[in-house]
Amino acid sequence: MRIVVLTIFPELVAALWSHGMVRRAVEQRAVSAEAVNIRDFAPDRHHVTDDRPYGGGCGMVMKPEPLAAALRHARDTAPGARAILMSPQGRRFDQAIARELSELPGLILVCGRYEGVDDRLVGGLIDEELSIGDYVLTGGELAAMAVADAVTRLIPGVLGGEESAERDSFSDGRLEHGHYTRPPVFEGEAVPEVLLSGHHARIERWRLESSLMRTFVNRPDLFEGRPVAPAERDIFEAWRARLQGLLGDEATPAAGTRKRRRERG
Ligand code: 4HQ
């Protein structure tokens, strides 16, 4: 995968490939990453990339010519790449989109500054707009880095153990289970007993239950519009049984549903 980021602050973006797992991915040649300075494509002597907005008002707009030239250059060095503008108006970036992008031959991530880029670029040289969330950044760089980071760790070979990506939060529509390491007791709090037991089946079940509980409490929206897997159903049924024990059979609507089904035979 080739990733080219167009920015007026290439050092800021290059910090991503100088550290940690993304650096290793570049060293392994799993990705080739480059931050291209848009200013290098400004034709005038002072390499100006911004100008005043037509119609007046405060703030500046990114001039289309340097960006267009930088984009054409990037397309030449990244065949088949998708050109993406970082923008609050874009499709909301998530793990499913990260997976989709990780299967492309290349990404060209365009970072605006100031009030944004001249709108004529959006309909033309840009394939798609992506947003990393409903808040306003001073530039697209942090958004591009978030996308490049999330995509890079999904490229085959980058994580080492591919199953690690399968266990990630969101990859199966749930948050991840809790994690613990030594010491066994920290500030009076012990690691859950089962994790020290060496009993793999029970550990797997604990992890699934932890994952479901954290999702249920923190992000119940993640359960909407997706099927409940059989192993998940087992745990939900166990919760239901415990709640019914606590509240009494008739007190829960679910108990009523079951009774009616029994009556229907
Ligand atoms: N931007 N997700 C770049 C964002 C943003 C976001 C605001 C994009 C400033 C110039 N980008 N302009 N949120 O806040 O992607």
Side-chain angles (χ1 to χ4, degrees):
M1 146 91 54
R2 175 150 170 80
I3 301 177
V4 182
V5 179
L6 307 187
T7 170
I8 58 166
F9 295 126
E11 319 78 20
L12 177 58
V13 176
L16 179 64
W17 21 98
S18 330
H19 299 274
M21 194 191 287
V22 179
R23 176 185 178 155
R24 249 170 294 140
V26 171
E27 285 166 357
Q28 290 168 25
R29 310 240 180 282
V31 292
S32 105
E34 190 187 355
V36 169
N37 195 338
I38 297 162
R39 282 173 72 86
D40 293 347
F41 295 86
D44 65 300
R45 203 158 60 89
H46 299 289
H47 302 290
V48 174
T49 56
D50 61 331
D51 205 345
R52 289 169 305 154
Y54 275 122
C58 58
M60 299 291 270
V61 177
M62 279 187 100
K63 291 168 68 62
E65 303 95 324
L67 249 173
L71 258 166
R72 291 200 169 94
H73 163 81
R75 281 211 190 275
D76 288 342
T77 75
R82 189 181 297 181
I84 296 170
L85 176 67
M86 307 320 301
S87 157
Q89 282 155 80
R91 177 160 72 122
R92 173 77 70 85
F93 185 64
D94 62 16
Q95 192 64 15
I97 298 177
R99 282 217 168 273
E100 174 193 326
L101 300 185
S102 74
E103 283 156 20
L104 297 173
L107 297 177
I108 299 167
L109 303 176
V110 181
C111 307
R113 280 268 152 182
Y114 328 114
E115 300 307 305
V117 307
D118 187 299
D119 220 47
R120 289 168 291 185
L121 275 169
V122 182
L125 288 165
I126 298 290
D127 296 316
E128 166 174 38
E129 291 175 278
L130 278 185
S131 166
I132 62 163
D134 292 341
Y135 39 82
V136 183
L137 302 168
T138 59
E141 284 79 7
L142 279 174
M145 290 162 80
V147 169
D149 186 273
V151 167
T152 297
R153 62 188 290 290
L154 294 177
I155 294 167
V158 172
L159 263 178
E162 247 78 87
E163 67 161 317
S164 187
E166 273 164 43
R167 285 166 177 275
D168 283 343
S169 290
F170 310 116
S171 63
D172 44 17
R174 286 186 264 109
L175 300 177
E176 261 189 286
H177 59 74
H179 299 274
Y180 299 88
T181 186
R182 291 180 294 178
V185 180
F186 172 69
E187 296 187 349
E189 198 177 337
V191 172
E193 194 67 46
V194 58
L195 298 181
L196 312 176
S197 71
H199 194 299
H200 291 296
R202 268 189 248 152
I203 290 170
E204 273 316 296
R205 188 178 162 89
W206 180 89
R207 287 184 168 159
L208 179 57
E209 183 159 14
S210 166
S211 165
L212 288 172
M213 182 63 79
R214 288 153 68 112
T215 310
F216 190 73
V217 171
N218 297 310
R219 292 294 306 278
D221 59 292
L222 294 179
F223 289 124
E224 281 158 31
R226 83 154 176 68
V228 178
E232 296 175 339
R233 176 167 295 275
D234 284 352
I235 286 170
F236 284 142
E237 291 289 3
W239 290 358
R240 196 217 303 263
R242 281 165 66 185
L243 283 168
Q244 279 171 353
L246 203 67
L247 300 171
D249 237 359
E250 298 308 314
T252 60
T257 312
R258 269 179 57 202
K259 203 168 169 199
R260 247 180 281 120
R261 208 178 292 145
R262 237 193 337 258
E263 281 163 3
R264 261 190 265 120

